[in-house]
Amino acid sequence: MKEFNILWKSFIKEVNTSMIFETLFASLFYSLFIIIPTILIYAQIISMYYHLLNLWIGLIIISVIFIHYFQLILWKKAIYLKKDEVKTNINKLFMYQLFIDSIIIVIIGLLFIFIFIPMMQI
Amino acid sequence: MKELTDYLWPKIKLLLVPYVILMFLLVYRIDFQISAPGGITEVESLIQVDYEVNEIKGSISSTYVISFKRPTIFQFVISDFSPYNQVIILPDYYAHYTDQEIRDISYLQKMTSVDAAVIVAYQNASQVNSEIVFTDSDVYKQILVYGKAAELSNYDQIGLGDEFISMVGVSNNVISAEDIYDTGLENSLVTNMSDEDFHEFTFKGEVGEYQVSLTKTDIEENLSLNQYLLVSQSNIYPKFTEKDSNIGGPSGGLLQTLSIYNMLVEEDITKGLKIAGTGTIRYDGSVGYVGSIKQKIATAYLNDVDLFFIPAIDERYSSHNYLEALAACEEFGINPEGWLIPVASFSEAISYLEGIE
């Protein structure tokens, strides 16, 4: 966690905040082209195979992690396209970021499986 | 943004056509109806009675299916991969309804079926438990709109579930809802309407009372009015509460009745079993037919229920729920002996449960 913070500080120092946000929004924008059909596909599969809901939640967790990974790749690419030489190890920084976000995604998914969905099934 | 766009543009150009096709498959809707297994819902979680009884060891659940009207092409294709799903052409009487109107019909059916369940359960429970207070005066009648054809005059003004209040007849006489209770819809409305003229009707909806002009043809062919018995809670004991639910339709009637009854009597009729089933309940306690039997059997099977109530064969119909259920049991490898229980009435279901050791 300490190394993750150090990497972020160094990254912010090296690549200014406006560039970080600009590249982040660009990566989010292009990720939407995958997110929108994915949401539609899952919503429609769940409506047809509702009895396998927990399986779909499991697959949604995996898909969200993969989409997030894709978005981080786009973000990294956008940064390198703006600035060729970045000394901070972005690969390592984003892997840490993916790991932390994945844990959060898994926790939210499990909350749905064990708490929210049983609550909604009335 | 520009740099990333320039970088991705060759790939986007390559994927554009397949992407547009995919999105079309995901958004374009076709006139079919798909039924798929849903789940079971413990009635106790929906309807609660404020009355202390011994611990209920088992459970009584209604069975719901997912009924998807106007699926997308993608849904239509993927639904074919499951033996539990069924695809049919959207019935004509649903074809002109919007999604909201279909939800309104479903909600109306659910609301009126809960009242029917309460009436039957309280009436039967009051015969075995003297503490239960429920008389005929706790029931009142209402005539509600439960269907409308696309040809109906002033279609948008009349809401599904709205209450009929009165009509101005051919000789300016006012026909009220009470007149219909006594003489029937045909006798009281149609005979007091002229063939050509519009008549003024008063309905009561969410926004209060409103007037609308309708013809004799509208009443005969385009507007479906039905008389319902509803429960007034002011004098009954114990009181009950109904929670909001996103599950609609009348097919949980029998199981709702059994569960409410079980909350009003000393003996636990579940005997520790996980009970589910399907079937509407009529005010006289008889059980009516329902749709999507195959999907309901699949749902019960996937949820490991101990016994499943189904409407018994009724000679008035041409296709029978019980025979459909037997066919579904054979298809899914379920032994129906002692699991699939056909019942014609609420009292038959109670007798069966009382006979379980």
Side-chain angles (χ1 to χ4, degrees), chain B residues 13-274:
Chain B
K13 271 199 292 190
L14 204 67
L15 292 171
L16 197 61
V17 174
Y19 189 83
V20 169
I21 292 170
L22 175 69
M23 290 305 285
F24 176 77
L25 296 177
L26 288 169
V27 298
Y28 186 76
R29 298 173 74 184
I30 47 180
D31 276 345
F32 283 86
Q33 178 178 328
I34 299 173
S35 297
I40 61 170
T41 307
E42 281 191 34
V43 179
E44 228 176 309
S45 65
L46 286 175
I47 303 164
Q48 281 156 356
V49 178
D50 188 16
Y51 188 65
E52 285 286 323
V53 288
N54 293 335
E55 187 196 355
I56 296 170
K57 288 178 180 153
S59 64
I60 300 176
S61 306
S62 57
T63 313
Y64 64 89
V65 298
I66 308 286
S67 183
F68 216 92
K69 293 169 182 79
R70 294 193 199 94
T72 64
I73 298 172
F74 179 75
Q75 279 175 310
F76 181 81
V77 171
I78 60 165
S79 71
D80 204 37
F81 295 116
S82 168
Y84 304 132
N85 293 353
Q86 184 184 27
V87 182
I88 56 167
I89 294 169
L90 190 68
D92 285 343
Y93 54 86
Y94 273 126
H96 67 283
Y97 285 134
T98 63
D99 290 347
Q100 183 57 47
E101 284 173 333
I102 290 170
R103 278 193 290 275
D104 288 345
I105 292 171
S106 187
Y107 175 75
L108 174 67
Q109 290 171 333
K110 174 70 187 296
M111 183 194 83
T112 51
S113 91
V114 168
D115 278 52
V118 167
I119 291 167
V120 176
Y122 273 67
Q123 278 173 345
N124 282 275
S126 65
Q127 288 168 16
V128 292
N129 184 350
S130 58
E131 288 184 8
I132 307 301
V133 179
F134 192 84
T135 61
D136 288 347
S137 60
D138 299 316
V139 175
Y140 62 97
K141 293 173 184 173
Q142 265 189 359
I143 293 167
L144 305 176
V145 176
Y146 80 94
K148 47 184 190 173
E151 298 78 23
L152 177 71
S153 314
N154 301 306
Y155 182 95
D156 292 331
Q157 288 184 41
I158 301 172
L160 290 155
D162 287 0
E163 182 190 352
F164 167 81
I165 302 293
S166 64
M167 177 199 83
V168 179
V170 71
S171 51
N172 282 333
N173 55 328
V174 176
I175 313 292
S176 67
E178 284 76 20
D179 299 321
I180 298 178
Y181 303 149
D182 299 333
T183 53
L185 201 67
E186 183 77 18
N187 286 335
S188 44
L189 288 187
V190 177
T191 53
N192 279 289
M193 296 177 84
S194 71
D195 288 339
E196 292 92 24
D197 297 335
F198 276 90
H199 291 265
E200 189 182 271
F201 279 71
T202 303
F203 288 95
K204 189 177 177 184
E206 281 178 9
V207 290
E209 288 190 9
Y210 61 91
Q211 276 75 39
V212 64
S213 297
L214 297 173
T215 62
K216 191 174 180 179
T217 314
D218 286 330
I219 296 303
E220 285 179 324
E221 295 170 17
N222 302 332
L223 185 68
S224 303
L225 296 169
N226 206 1
Q227 183 176 303
Y228 293 97
L229 299 181
L230 303 173
V231 177
S232 162
Q233 288 218 49
S234 50
N235 295 321
I236 68 169
Y237 177 81
K239 309 284 187 221
F240 68 91
T241 47
E242 188 189 345
K243 280 191 182 173
D244 281 341
S245 162
N246 49 10
I247 300 164
S251 65
L254 171 65
L255 279 296
Q256 287 159 5
T257 313
L258 286 171
S259 182
I260 296 167
Y261 178 83
N262 202 33
M263 288 184 252
L264 296 170
V265 294
E266 280 300 314
E267 190 196 357
D268 176 16
I269 61 168
T270 66
K271 309 272 176 71
L273 295 172
K274 190 176 179 183

Side-chain angles (χ1 to χ4, degrees), chain A residues 54-103:
Chain A
N54 287 346
L55 168 71
W56 304 127
I57 300 291
L59 288 176
I60 287 170
I61 292 170
I62 294 166
S63 303
V64 171
I65 292 170
F66 268 104
I67 290 170
H68 184 38
Y69 178 59
F70 172 75
Q71 181 260 324
L72 288 174
I73 289 172
L74 285 183
W75 194 4
K76 189 178 76 180
K77 191 75 206 172
I79 290 164
Y80 281 130
L81 287 168
K82 281 244 176 217
K83 191 175 177 178
D84 313 349
E85 288 180 19
V86 182
K87 284 176 189 155
T88 309
N89 189 343
I90 297 181
N91 277 334
K92 201 171 187 182
L93 171 66
F94 281 1
M95 276 303 127
Y96 275 127
Q97 186 69 54
L98 181 66
F99 179 72
I100 293 163
D101 293 345
S102 298
I103 289 171

